[in-house]
Amino acid sequence: MIDFSRPRVSHLAMLAMLAAAPAHAGELVTPEGDWTPTAAAGQTAETLPTVSVTGAAPANNQKRETAIDRLPQEIQDTPQTIHVINEETLQQQGVTSLEQALRNVPGVTVEIGEGGALNGDQFRIRGFSSQTDVTQDGLRDFGVYTRDTWNTESVEVFLGPSGETFGRGNFAGTINTTSKAPVLDDFVTLHGELGLGPHARTTADINRKIGDTTALRLNLMYTDSQPVDRDGPESKRWGIAPSIGFGLGTDTELTVGYFHQEDNRVPDYGIPVVANSINGGVASADSGPVDVDSGNWYGGTLDHDDTVADVLTVRLSHQATPWLKVHNDSRVGFYTRDFLPTAPSCGGASNTTGVVTAGSCLANLLDGDPSTVPVASRGGPSSPTYTDQWGVQNITTGIADFTLGGMKNQLILGADAAYEEAIRKGNGNIGEARPSPVDLYNPSKDSWSPNYVATNERNSDSTSFAVFASDQIWFTEQLSLLGGLRFERYSASSTLTTFGAVDSTVSPPVFVPAVPHTSTGAEIDETLWSPRASLVWEPSENQTYYISWSRASEPATGTTVGNSTNPVSTTEAVQALEPTTSETFEIGGKLNFFGGRLGTGLTVFQVERDNSKEVDDSDVITASGQSIRNRGLELSLTGRLTDAWTVQASYAFIDSEYLDFGNSSAIINEKMEGREVNNVPRNAINIWTSYDVLADLTLGAGVRYHDEMFIAQSYRAATDEITYAEAPYYLAVDAMAQYRLSEGVAVQVNGYNLFDRDDNYDQTRGNRLVPAAGRTLIFSTTATF
């Protein structure tokens, strides 16, 4: 356990220094952001009553403040690319999960979760894994579950290394969700959905003001959904999220929120990726999704992914003086997972020579003979994995606005302490084995009767403590310099205790106990530094230009304590590596038009990651010391073109390449140098727009597109070829129509993938792709009173 008493002492010392700094300053920052003189010595400054102002958030996301205490300025003034999926967009698009929300951000892809990793919530930003870079209200979301958005106000994606703000990792960016919180108002919003799949969903959002500065809020959700044209996967989940706020609209605000979600899901591991042809008995170097019905699902009746998340969050803010504000945010979360997936494959080709075995699945698939049936294999674990995980975090931040030497300053000091623990229980099967062979064209959902026995248990934990500081100095009203640094001490340990093993060479299999039980372990202890610097020029209220540099780092072994088979690598080569680092250079501009109603952005960037590693489906490290560079640009448009016309659009171009593939073979590294990085589409565009055709009628439409992209690459020496698997381009057109029957009551219809493209893939893996749902219609009704 972490002793939080010492960090508190450090925090108080920091705040004491902050309190002393402006004693001779002579200026302070008003809530409106203006700099005004303070009372002179011996004078008394008049204290004005606190005024709470509420209203609709601006459609121009650049005029919003971030939801992160440590980034207190508007997005317009923050020298970093930040995408916001606001509540209006979430509602219009009918978003029900974080994965769906992130489809609005170009350059974000979703990978099929493997080996206990985040199934469905394993995101890649600009090709870099961000599975541990998901936060909720600025605090780490430790758990392994699919995140529903019923209790989400907005989603923010911070692009570029964000280690100084969010801590270890965060190489390509950070994904943050903002929870719905109590407000000083009375309302009840009921929402119901029915649609193809079938799909059924209902939510409730109830807020009650119970005092001048106190309010309660309760959010409820139940969903039962299956994707269109996918025969097997489904999700049944429910959730409850009560919260209470004290001192709302005053100098001291306290919010306590509890989040509970249960999800009983049948996981989707997609369809196999296979060679596109066979030439002279050798598989082609290029591979793609197998040509089968997109509805084919190769799982069995026992496949499941059952998760429970219980999270308690306490957020306290206090305006200590007109120039000093203090935030203290805490979270404790408990998570469980029971997971058994099926991973299909259609093999038959040698990895080293490419020679195809006669009668194999691949040979029968591509021989042109309809009488030979390709028989796929059902892989994956033969028994479920159980994970119990919990984590706690506290972040204390002080923000001081003052002048020093005649120059305005915004100084941010804070400390971040966290502890995480996970118990992962492995099992063997001494009963009936999983039915492996399955008709590739006509898969069946076979049942079986296993008998599970505990074979091992892995106990892992991690502790981190960090202090961070940043200061923005205005040399003039237009020109400022921002510098920041985070120092973090991270340690982790993992011990695997083996109880025995299953002997499958006999029938039926038997459990052979290990006497005595054996234990192996590893531990790491790293010091991490994450700096950043920005030069910002704001020639007018509606213009911001900046040049930024930043660096993020994490141990080369990674920091996935709760969602990895082997969270602390015992591989000596990896243990010897310096921490994985990511460095970015970014030049950007943000401009507003039409009185701030419409925002635009342009960013040119370079991100380089060194000493990274790649793992396969079994969490075996296949490459270490890998270096990747991404260069590109992003364009964005957000806000209102007219009072009736709203648009949220963004485009990303990314030129990615391997600088060092990180393989143990020098020949493979030489061949792979300069090739495009896996899971990075070169071009991606996302557009969502809505128009109020009539006073009570709103129409909306959107387009999501990205180029084809590599999902796996290697080198085959026998044929002197680069072998690769590629996912085809993605194109989806969605639409929405909303009609307001009366004040507070509206009906809506959403259509997704209206062209019914069957070669769109929502999730990727090196040897599998998950087809997107077919054309889907969902009808909904919302009533607010």
Side-chain angles (χ1 to χ4, degrees):
M1 293 294 294
I2 294 178
D3 181 3
F4 287 99
S5 60
R6 292 186 65 182
R8 285 195 186 110
V9 172
S10 298
H11 300 171
L12 291 173
M14 293 177 197
L15 296 180
M17 288 188 291
L18 285 173
H24 306 286
E27 289 186 346
L28 58 83
V29 177
T30 68
E32 293 77 20
D34 299 324
W35 296 81
T36 61
T38 60
Q43 295 180 339
T44 302
E46 181 181 3
T47 301
L48 299 178
T50 300
V51 178
S52 177
V53 180
T54 61
N60 177 2
N61 290 326
Q62 292 183 171
K63 304 305 293 182
R64 296 167 177 257
E65 292 184 353
T66 73
I68 306 300
D69 300 335
R70 305 177 292 286
L71 298 173
Q73 300 186 41
E74 287 185 352
I75 293 174
Q76 167 78 28
D77 304 320
T78 303
Q80 184 176 5
T81 301
I82 303 173
H83 289 274
V84 178
I85 305 97
N86 57 44
E87 187 176 21
E88 181 182 27
T89 301
L90 295 174
Q91 186 275 326
Q92 288 187 352
Q93 295 181 353
V95 169
T96 62
S97 69
L98 180 57
E99 176 190 339
Q100 293 175 1
L102 292 175
R103 295 174 186 173
N104 290 280
V105 182
V108 174
T109 57
V110 183
E111 192 171 25
I112 303 172
E114 300 286 357
L118 302 181
N119 181 32
D121 270 5
Q122 183 170 337
F123 306 110
R124 284 185 176 267
I125 302 176
R126 295 173 175 170
F128 299 129
S129 175
S130 59
Q131 68 179 58
T132 59
D133 303 332
V134 179
T135 63
Q136 185 182 67
D137 301 317
L139 295 161
R140 288 186 180 270
D141 196 357
F142 299 101
V144 182
Y145 64 103
T146 296
R147 294 159 176 84
D148 195 290
T149 54
W150 101 93
N151 192 46
T152 300
E153 196 82 36
S154 64
V155 177
E156 298 171 321
V157 181
F158 299 81
L159 295 181
S162 303
E164 189 272 336
T165 303
F166 294 97
R168 63 189 182 277
N170 299 285
F171 293 118
T174 302
I175 299 164
N176 181 66
T177 62
T178 304
S179 302
K180 295 178 179 178
V183 295
L184 296 176
D185 197 1
D186 291 328
F187 63 82
V188 175
T189 298
L190 304 178
H191 177 82
E193 301 175 5
L194 290 174
L196 302 181
H199 170 87
R201 178 180 173 89
T202 182
T203 63
D205 186 357
I206 304 166
N207 194 95
R208 281 290 179 266
K209 179 181 175 182
I210 58 176
D212 291 340
T213 62
T214 306
L216 291 167
R217 193 164 185 174
L218 175 66
N219 276 273
L220 305 168
M221 174 274 298
Y222 177 78
T223 299
D224 187 347
S225 184
Q226 301 177 31
V228 172
D229 294 340
R230 291 297 291 149
D231 185 19
E234 64 177 349
S235 175
K236 295 181 179 180
R237 59 184 184 266
W238 68 274
I240 179 172
S243 57
I244 185 169
F246 302 96
L248 302 180
T250 71
D251 286 342
T252 303
E253 295 187 347
L254 173 66
T255 301
V256 180
Y258 169 69
F259 172 95
H260 175 87
Q261 178 183 300
E262 294 189 22
D263 189 1
N264 298 310
R265 173 181 298 271
V266 177
D268 192 350
Y269 266 33
I271 62 175
V273 169
V274 299
N276 290 327
S277 62
I278 299 176
N279 304 295
V282 177
S284 63
D286 58 312
S287 301
V290 64
D291 186 14
V292 297
D293 190 305
S294 62
N296 281 10
W297 182 71
Y298 298 92
T301 58
L302 298 185
D303 286 23
H304 61 274
D305 187 5
D306 299 335
T307 60
V308 179
D310 289 285
V311 182
L312 177 67
T313 304
V314 180
R315 306 189 68 191
L316 174 66
S317 67
H318 175 59
Q319 189 72 49
T321 71
W323 53 267
L324 174 63
K325 191 168 187 177
V326 181
H327 300 271
N328 186 280
D329 300 332
S330 300
R331 164 166 300 148
V332 59
F334 299 87
Y335 313 87
T336 63
R337 189 186 194 195
D338 179 357
F339 185 42
L340 179 64
T342 296
S345 62
C346 179
S350 167
N351 290 331
T352 56
T353 65
V355 174
V356 178
T357 302
S360 65
C361 179
L362 183 62
N364 290 352
L365 173 68
L366 299 177
D367 64 4
D369 184 355
S371 65
T372 57
V373 178
V375 178
S377 297
R378 289 188 174 110
S382 61
S383 55
T385 298
Y386 306 110
T387 304
D388 289 306
Q389 180 182 4
W390 75 279
V392 60
Q393 183 180 22
N394 174 268
I395 301 178
T396 300
T397 307
I399 304 172
D401 296 300
F402 58 92
T403 60
L404 185 65
M407 292 184 291
K408 298 179 294 185
N409 283 254
Q410 184 172 75
L411 178 64
I412 300 174
L413 293 177
D416 180 350
Y419 177 80
E420 187 177 0
E421 184 177 292
I423 300 174
R424 182 183 174 95
K425 302 176 181 179
N427 300 279
N429 178 19
I430 58 175
E432 183 182 4
R434 178 203 301 271
S436 179
V438 58
D439 188 331
L440 185 66
Y441 288 117
N442 298 290
S444 58
K445 299 182 181 69
D446 295 333
S447 182
W448 46 305
S449 301
N451 182 10
Y452 301 132
V453 58
T455 57
N456 61 73
E457 180 176 291
R458 179 175 290 279
N459 291 265
S460 306
D461 65 82
S462 69
T463 303
S464 65
F465 176 74
V467 291
F468 55 89
S470 68
D471 189 20
Q472 187 166 5
I473 304 172
W474 278 262
F475 304 113
T476 70
E477 290 293 327
Q478 293 80 33
L479 185 64
S480 63
L481 178 66
L482 170 64
L485 179 66
R486 173 185 283 253
F487 165 85
E488 182 166 0
R489 191 68 180 172
Y490 177 83
S491 61
S493 64
S494 182
T495 301
L496 176 65
T497 301
T498 301
F499 309 133
V502 172
D503 183 357
S504 300
T505 63
V506 298
S507 183
V510 296
F511 174 71
V512 180
V515 181
H517 296 165
T518 60
S519 294
T520 58
E523 60 184 28
I524 58 170
D525 195 357
E526 293 277 8
T527 298
L528 307 172
W529 297 90
S530 298
R532 68 164 174 160
S534 300
L535 183 65
V536 185
W537 182 44
E538 300 171 279
S540 71
E541 181 182 357
N542 289 310
Q543 297 182 72
T544 301
Y545 307 94
Y546 62 90
I547 301 174
S548 291
W549 168 85
S550 60
R551 179 180 293 165
S553 60
E554 76 172 10
T557 58
T559 59
T560 54
V561 168
N563 50 15
S564 177
T565 303
N566 186 15
V568 181
S569 175
T570 56
T571 305
E572 291 185 6
V574 178
Q575 286 274 359
L577 288 174
E578 293 295 319
T580 302
T581 61
S582 181
E583 184 177 51
T584 188
F585 294 91
E586 182 173 317
I587 301 175
K590 303 177 185 181
L591 288 81
N592 295 316
F593 299 94
F594 311 133
R597 191 174 62 198
L598 182 69
T600 62
L602 169 63
T603 302
V604 179
F605 63 86
Q606 173 181 294
V607 182
E608 185 172 322
R609 180 175 177 178
D610 296 314
N611 285 332
S612 63
K613 63 181 176 64
E614 292 289 333
V615 297
D616 64 12
D617 291 359
S618 301
D619 275 350
V620 175
I621 296 171
T622 58
S624 59
Q626 194 175 78
S627 294
I628 295 170
R629 183 175 64 202
N630 290 336
R631 290 171 170 167
L633 65 87
E634 291 200 13
L635 302 171
S636 63
L637 186 68
T638 171
R640 295 188 182 275
L641 294 169
T642 70
D643 289 341
W645 188 3
T646 301
V647 63
Q648 306 289 339
S650 52
Y651 163 77
F653 167 80
I654 303 177
D655 179 19
S656 64
E657 63 176 315
Y658 288 107
L659 302 179
D660 186 338
F661 196 60
N663 195 277
S664 58
S665 167
I667 296 177
I668 293 178
N669 289 333
E670 179 182 352
K671 296 291 185 180
M672 292 300 300
E673 183 178 342
R675 288 187 61 83
E676 289 187 6
V677 177
N678 295 337
N679 296 293
V680 184
R682 194 170 182 84
N683 294 280
I685 188 169
N686 302 77
I687 300 173
W688 179 260
T689 184
S690 62
Y691 191 82
D692 296 331
V693 179
L694 301 171
D696 295 321
L697 176 63
T698 300
L699 301 180
V703 176
R704 293 176 279 122
Y705 169 84
H706 66 68
D707 286 345
E708 64 278 355
M709 62 183 181
F710 293 126
I711 57 175
Q713 299 180 77
S714 189
Y715 172 69
R716 192 164 64 195
T719 57
D720 191 25
E721 292 177 290
I722 298 291
T723 59
Y724 62 90
E726 192 174 52
Y729 75 89
Y730 187 105
L731 175 63
V733 176
D734 306 328
M736 176 276 299
Q738 181 190 86
Y739 185 75
R740 290 167 287 281
L741 299 174
S742 62
E743 184 177 358
V745 180
V747 293
Q748 182 171 312
V749 59
N750 285 84
Y752 307 96
N753 191 15
L754 294 179
F755 291 169
D756 199 26
R757 277 178 48 88
D758 59 4
D759 52 356
N760 284 341
Y761 297 93
D762 279 343
Q763 299 179 30
T764 68
R765 191 69 180 181
N767 57 355
R768 291 187 305 284
L769 293 168
V770 174
R775 183 187 296 117
T776 304
L777 294 177
I778 294 180
F779 300 87
S780 62
T781 301
T782 303
T784 300
F785 50 88

